[in-house]
């Protein structure tokens, strides 16, 4: 493991936004804040939150922590440590994470909520559009056209500190999720020109089951277009309730994004088509496969081509051309060097600004290519994919995702390799692999290593996460391996 790569950068990536880690904690709050929960469940949720916060303390999420402070936190002094950190910290993002955690742990200090509101308003009241491209048709020099116009008008230059700060705005919105007092602010977020801020607002309202906000979400959808709309509309699926009320959310999603003919979407072969493969194959399996084969031949973009190859493999196609392409692509990633332009501190904040947006995009593309590969290995457990993931364990950039793929593929033969990683890694990294990977193997060798590299409390916490269905890169246990034709 390269010393410059932080543990937080290697944390397994998931669909849920973890920009400021607040979304994870908000998910734990839902049962307590909005539903009926027994006292035993409340105690268990609180215990999980304490363990989660201590884990983040160890990882430096709240700023540097000494071994003495970690020991004090584990001995029951976590809240006083965070309270002192809130007073002394000069970093607004660190201070916000501390405030969010103190509230999650039951501290009622108004100063914490007031600070979170202040930070959320900075994002919600900004008139900046998102600097991230979401559609190639509207992308110029790595940015959406509307962002470039805004940046020129506000003298925000490429790669500047002001531009870098914009990439963190949506994380501030998550800070006020999970508390009923945040609902008015989340509704205000729906008016933002920044689509990820809108999406964060929708997610917070959905987790709060704020049904009265659904018409506002539909109106927010109408302000966006093209591939941007699913980012917002699909979040409506997170509303939790009985089948009758879920139908209301589904109707709202259809208002945001009337469902197209999936076959026609596949024929367009745009970046959003992968979401419709399953629907198309359910009704027209042969035609779906034929269209995807044509798209594979015509597509030049390697990431899109990899998604098509994965879809075809997932539909049972055995032609080696698709596996060969994926294997060549991932082998190229392993043999090359991932862009080192993005360097982060322990809070995942850049300490050296990227030389260009393209450098950020390149790194993100490479990680997503690996995740696409991990997903198909997870689904098929094909020996060719498993072998490559074992090789990826030696990569300092991809070993976290590779290890997650191997455990989801139930590849017990990789256990000695992962244990060897622990033996040769720093104590921090050994804990990471024990807690995030080895604990999920139902094998005495792996479980023994968990007990070796984790404290009793940490091991109990990790096994509790597993028992509660929380796994690497998705729910646990993973779905059954698909039956190939």
């Amino acid at each position: 493991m390269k010393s410059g790569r932080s543990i937080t950068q290697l944390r397994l990536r998931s669909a849920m936004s973890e920009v400021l880690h607040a979304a994870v904690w908000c998910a734990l709050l839902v049962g307590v804040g909005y539903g009926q929960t027994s006292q035993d469940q409340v105690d268990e949720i609180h215990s999980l939150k304490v363990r989660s916060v201590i884990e983040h303390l160890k990882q430096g999420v709240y700023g540097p922590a000494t071994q003495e402070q970690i020991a004090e936190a584990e001995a029951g002094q976590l809240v006083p440590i965070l309270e002192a950190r809130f007073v002394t910290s000069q970093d607004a993002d660190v201070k916000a994470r501390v405030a969010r955690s103190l509230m999650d742990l039951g501290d009622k200090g108004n100063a914490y909520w007031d600070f979170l509101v202040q930070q959320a308003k900075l994002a919600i009241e900004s008139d900046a559009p998102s600097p991230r491209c979401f559609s190639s048709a509207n992308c110029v020099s790595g940015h959406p056209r509307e962002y470039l116009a805004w940046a020129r008008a506000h003298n925000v230059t490429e790669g500047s500190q002001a531009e870098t700060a914009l990439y963190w705005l949506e994380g501030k919105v998550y800070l006020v999720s999970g508390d009923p007092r945040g609902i008015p602010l989340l509704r205000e977020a729906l008016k933002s020109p920044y689509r990820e801020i809108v999406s964060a607002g929708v997610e917070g309202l959905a987790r709060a089951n704020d049904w009265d906000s659904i018409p506002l979400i539909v109106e927010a959808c109408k302000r966006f277009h093209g591939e941007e709309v699913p980012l917002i509309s699909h979040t409506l699926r997170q509303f939790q309730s009985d089948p009758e009320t879920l139908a209301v959310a589904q109707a709202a999603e259809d208002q945001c994004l009337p469902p197209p003919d999936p076959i026609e979407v596949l024929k367009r072969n745009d970046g959003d088509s992968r979401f419709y493969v399953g629907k198309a194959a359910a009704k027209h399996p042969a035609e779906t496969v034929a269209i995807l084969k044509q798209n594979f031949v015509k597509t030049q973009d390697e990431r899109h081509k990899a998604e098509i190859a994965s879809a075809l493999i997932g539909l049972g196609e055995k032609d080696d051309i698709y596996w060969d392409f994926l294997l060549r692509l991932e082998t190229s990633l392993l043999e090359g060097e991932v862009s080192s332009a993005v360097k982060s501190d322990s809070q995942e904040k850049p300490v050296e600004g990227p030389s260009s947006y393209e450098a950020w995009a390149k790194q993100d593309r490479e990680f997503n290519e690996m995740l696409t590969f991990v997903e198909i290995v997870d689904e098929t457990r094909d020996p060719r994919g498993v072998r490559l993931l074992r090789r990826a364990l030696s990569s300092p950039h991809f070993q976290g995702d590779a290890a997650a793929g191997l455990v989801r593929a139930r590849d017990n033969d990789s256990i000695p390799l992962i244990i060897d990683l622990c033996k040769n890694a720093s104590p921090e990294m050994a804990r990471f692999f024990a807690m995030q990977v080895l604990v999920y193997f139902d094998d005495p060798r792996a479980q023994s290593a968990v007990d070796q590299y984790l404290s009793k409390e940490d091991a109990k916490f990790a096994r509790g996460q597993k028992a509660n269905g929380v796994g690497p890169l998705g729910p646990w246990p993973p779905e059954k391996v698909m039956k190939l034709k």
Side-chain angles (χ1 to χ4, degrees):
M1 178 61 59
K2 292 183 179 179
S3 59
R5 184 159 177 78
S6 70
I7 182 70
T8 43
Q9 281 181 294
L10 281 174
R11 195 176 321 120
L12 302 179
R13 295 150 70 96
S14 69
M16 184 180 292
S17 174
E18 292 188 86
V19 176
L20 291 177
H21 305 277
V24 175
W25 299 324
C26 293
L28 292 173
L29 281 174
V30 171
V32 177
Y34 298 103
Q36 298 299 317
T37 311
S38 70
Q39 186 58 49
D40 287 345
Q41 288 174 311
V42 170
D43 292 342
E44 178 62 21
I45 290 171
H46 184 267
S47 176
L48 286 172
K49 285 188 286 188
V50 169
R51 297 307 312 150
S52 177
V53 173
I54 290 177
E55 280 306 305
H56 288 120
L57 179 70
K58 293 174 181 177
Q59 294 168 13
V61 169
Y62 311 107
T66 65
Q67 289 301 317
E68 290 77 9
Q69 287 174 322
I70 292 171
E72 290 173 357
E74 292 177 331
Q77 296 301 306
L78 175 60
V79 169
I81 290 172
L82 293 180
E83 288 175 336
R85 188 64 55 90
F86 179 82
V87 173
T88 60
S89 177
Q90 300 300 310
D91 186 304
D93 289 337
V94 170
K95 200 178 184 81
R97 287 194 286 273
V98 171
R100 176 75 250 186
S101 294
L102 282 167
M103 289 187 57
D104 291 349
L105 295 172
D107 200 309
K108 304 299 184 183
N110 288 332
Y112 307 132
W113 176 251
D114 292 343
F115 186 79
L116 297 182
V117 168
Q118 177 194 70
Q119 292 297 301
K121 283 184 174 180
L122 288 175
I124 292 169
E125 295 175 357
S126 170
D127 64 347
S130 173
R132 300 178 180 89
C133 280
F134 206 71
S135 170
S136 57
N138 190 40
C139 192
V140 179
S141 301
H143 294 293
R145 298 176 191 275
E146 59 270 19
Y147 169 77
L148 291 175
W150 180 91
R152 284 193 296 269
H154 292 78
N155 296 317
V156 176
T157 58
E158 175 78 11
S160 66
Q161 184 176 358
E163 181 179 86
T164 300
L166 293 175
Y167 286 92
W168 299 86
L169 285 182
E170 72 264 28
K172 295 180 182 294
V173 179
Y174 286 113
L175 294 170
V176 295
S177 295
D179 189 301
R181 293 174 293 177
I183 288 177
L185 280 172
L186 296 174
R187 290 180 177 177
E188 287 298 311
L190 301 180
K191 302 174 185 178
S192 173
Y194 194 127
R195 67 171 173 270
E196 286 89 356
I197 288 177
V198 175
S199 182
V202 175
E203 184 173 333
L205 292 167
R207 291 187 179 282
N209 277 324
D210 181 40
W211 293 94
D212 291 339
S213 68
I214 287 181
L216 303 177
I217 296 172
V218 172
E219 289 303 312
C221 281
K222 293 177 180 178
R223 293 193 291 107
F224 295 90
H225 52 81
E227 296 175 12
E228 297 175 321
V229 180
L231 179 72
I232 299 168
S233 64
H234 290 174
T235 309
L236 284 159
R237 301 174 187 179
Q238 296 186 27
F239 276 89
Q240 303 294 320
S241 194
D242 57 70
E244 181 179 352
T245 47
L246 279 177
V248 176
Q250 180 61 61
E253 182 180 353
D254 291 345
Q255 284 183 271
C256 283
L257 186 69
D261 183 328
I263 288 292
E264 294 303 315
V265 174
L266 295 188
K267 288 179 179 178
R268 292 201 301 267
N269 194 27
D270 56 30
D272 197 40
S273 61
R274 66 187 183 277
F275 297 114
Y276 296 92
V277 170
K279 292 181 179 180
K283 293 184 177 180
H284 311 283
E287 187 176 4
T288 298
V289 169
I291 293 171
L292 289 174
K293 286 182 175 180
Q294 293 174 2
N295 291 348
F296 180 82
V297 173
K298 294 185 294 184
T299 299
Q300 299 299 314
D301 180 83
E302 287 192 334
R303 178 178 173 183
H304 189 195
K305 200 176 184 80
E307 290 169 349
I308 297 170
S310 296
L312 283 164
I313 293 170
L315 292 174
E317 284 303 306
K318 294 184 177 180
D319 193 327
D320 286 342
I321 185 175
Y322 306 118
W323 265 113
D324 288 346
F325 176 80
L326 292 178
L327 292 171
R328 282 198 303 272
L329 183 63
E330 304 315 312
T331 299
S332 176
L333 287 182
L334 296 179
E335 291 177 347
E337 288 294 328
V338 176
S339 171
S340 60
V342 181
K343 298 181 180 180
S344 303
D345 61 16
S346 59
Q347 286 81 48
E348 293 185 353
K349 292 183 61 177
V351 294
E352 296 180 17
S355 58
S356 66
Y357 176 82
E358 285 74 17
W360 283 83
K362 179 178 184 293
Q363 186 184 58
D364 185 66
R365 182 175 65 252
E366 289 168 339
F367 277 116
N368 278 289
E369 286 173 1
M370 179 58 73
L371 280 176
T372 297
F373 186 75
V374 166
E375 288 170 2
I376 199 61
V377 177
D378 173 13
E379 292 178 4
T380 65
R381 303 180 193 172
D382 189 286
R384 291 167 289 186
V386 168
R387 285 193 294 270
L388 192 137
L389 289 184
R390 289 179 190 166
R391 178 180 174 185
L393 288 175
S394 63
S395 165
H397 303 289
F398 300 117
Q399 61 185 180
D401 290 332
L406 289 167
V407 72
R408 293 189 70 83
R410 306 295 182 89
D411 179 47
N412 283 11
D413 289 342
S414 69
I415 291 173
L417 301 176
I418 300 172
I419 292 176
D420 284 343
L421 282 179
C422 293
K423 292 177 181 177
N424 298 317
S426 66
E428 184 183 37
M429 287 307 306
R431 290 182 64 260
F432 170 81
F433 283 109
M435 178 168 283
Q436 299 284 5
V437 180
L438 289 171
V439 72
Y440 291 95
F441 283 107
D442 294 325
D443 184 284
R445 297 168 297 173
Q447 295 303 316
S448 176
V450 169
D451 293 327
Q452 177 182 350
Y453 291 106
L454 297 181
S455 67
K456 289 183 178 180
E457 288 187 347
D458 285 344
K460 180 180 178 181
F461 172 74
R463 288 174 175 131
Q465 292 285 85
K466 176 183 176 181
N468 289 330
V470 179
L473 300 181
W476 190 265
E479 296 180 359
K480 294 180 180 179
V481 63
M482 64 174 60
K483 295 180 180 179
L484 301 181
K485 293 180 182 178

